[in-house]
Amino acid sequence: MLLSVSLALIFAAITGVLIWAGRVSVSSAVAVWLSGFTAAATVVAGPVHALLSAAVSAFH
């Protein structure tokens, strides 16, 4: 759970910087954010979580 919260905060910060810098519009960021929730509710959530866990353990 701690890993999920940390990644969520990192991605939120990156999104905020991209919006602030004018690289991404707010509407595009909202669309990607909503698609993330949609993907999390599908079969894709398991492999993505496994990939992120493997990447974190590789750097740890």
Side-chain angles (χ1 to χ4, degrees):
M1 184 64 177
L2 180 62
L3 174 67
S4 298
V5 172
S6 298
L7 286 176
L9 290 175
I10 289 170
F11 287 137
I14 291 170
T15 303
V17 169
L18 289 173
I19 291 171
W20 177 76
R23 298 284 191 181
V24 176
S25 67
V26 175
S27 60
S28 296
V30 169
V32 170
W33 182 67
L34 290 175
S35 69
F37 278 109
T38 304
T42 64
V43 179
V44 179
V48 169
H49 187 276
L51 176 70
L52 291 174
S53 294
V56 168
S57 65
F59 287 112
H60 188 198

